[in-house]
Amino acid sequence: MHVRQRITADAATPCVLLHGLAVSHRYLMPTALRLGGRAVYVPDLPGFGLSDKPPAVLDVGQHAEAIAALTDTLGIASAAILGNSFGCQVAVELVARRPDLVAALILVSPTTDPAAATMTGQLRRLLRDLPREDWRQMPILARDLRDAGPRRIIATLRHAVEDHIDAKLPAISVPTLLVRGDRDPIAPARWVDHAVALTPNGHTLTIAAAHNVVTTAGPQLAAAVDTFLHSTADLGGHRE
């Protein structure tokens, strides 16, 4: 697995960022670069970006296992996990399987809204989102789409719509921040409000953006994440 990382001796809770469907670490960097005073790890999920391309397409659980193995290999005892879009599903599955690895969750534009939990439903929402995004993202997204390839993208979307994130949220006990863009049709307000209501220690935040908050509102999101983590008294043994 390819990982971009910033190592620091600071005792603040490290942060692992997980990208969404069909993309890679590249579009997460506007947020990752602005997370201050903490170690930051930005992997490409298997099959995406610069990571190896396994013949089989991994489902949500297999991606979570890959991230768990990565954090174990890197010696990360406990981290804040920031997922965007499909990365939120991987993050929630990770905390379900390995709660020891997760000090806090930040779920940005989480999928999949049960009201559109079909491939057609998600594609329709994607088409509504595209005109609302900043066109300057396009070169990065085009490169990511090329790296992943259509077969892997379609198969991963199928896994995404079959994964019921809403059924897992009530079991999450770690502090959780759910973030959405105010112009995001993929993770609409009704769905995010419902998701935060399901999450025992959930909090919500809206940022002026479309679906790709991590790219187009990186400074605002990073500041909100730092504030959220600092506001938590003790995360996984790290004092903020």
Side-chain angles (χ1 to χ4, degrees), residues 70-85:
L70 176 67
T71 55
D72 287 340
T73 298
L74 294 174
I76 305 170
S78 183
I81 309 296
L82 186 157
N84 174 237
S85 197

Side-chain angles (χ1 to χ4, degrees), residues 73-236:
T73 298
L74 294 174
I76 305 170
S78 183
I81 309 296
L82 186 157
N84 174 237
S85 197
F86 175 70
C88 296
Q89 297 180 248
V90 178
V92 168
E93 184 65 23
L94 175 65
V95 74
R97 295 181 180 226
R98 290 288 305 274
D100 58 301
L101 295 178
V102 182
L105 281 178
I106 302 97
L107 306 178
V108 185
S109 307
T111 53
T112 302
D113 179 1
T118 65
M119 295 180 67
T120 300
Q122 288 299 291
L123 289 171
R124 283 176 177 164
R125 290 190 176 188
L126 174 62
L127 291 175
R128 289 171 54 201
D129 178 66
L130 288 176
R132 308 179 189 192
E133 296 286 352
D134 189 329
W135 63 269
R136 288 172 292 186
Q137 301 175 79
M138 292 305 110
I140 295 175
L141 298 179
R143 186 177 179 186
D144 288 342
L145 292 170
R146 181 201 66 196
D147 286 347
R151 181 186 71 88
R152 192 174 305 276
I153 292 169
I154 293 169
T156 305
L157 176 58
R158 184 174 294 110
H159 288 313
V161 299
E162 292 172 351
D163 176 68
H164 302 292
I165 186 175
D166 53 316
K168 306 171 192 177
L169 292 174
I172 294 176
S173 60
V174 298
T176 303
L177 178 65
L178 289 97
V179 183
R180 69 172 295 271
D182 63 353
R183 302 189 304 277
D184 182 4
I186 298 175
R190 181 201 47 74
W191 155 234
V192 175
D193 289 344
H194 177 60
V196 77
L198 292 172
T199 308
N201 199 3
H203 310 269
T204 188
L205 172 69
T206 299
I207 291 178
H211 189 63
N212 290 345
V213 179
V214 292
T215 308
T216 59
Q220 300 94 311
L221 177 59
V225 169
D226 282 331
T227 298
F228 172 66
L229 296 181
H230 281 297
S231 71
T232 304
D234 193 358
L235 298 179

Side-chain angles (χ1 to χ4, degrees), residues 3-20:
V3 185
R4 285 196 68 173
Q5 57 189 22
R6 180 180 70 218
I7 308 299
T8 175
D10 196 297
T13 306
C15 192
V16 178
L17 285 73
L18 303 180
H19 63 77

Side-chain angles (χ1 to χ4, degrees), residues 32-52:
L33 290 170
R34 291 168 175 82
L35 289 170
R38 66 184 74 249
V40 178
Y41 304 86
V42 196
D44 286 336
L45 295 172
F48 297 92
L50 300 178
S51 287
D52 286 347

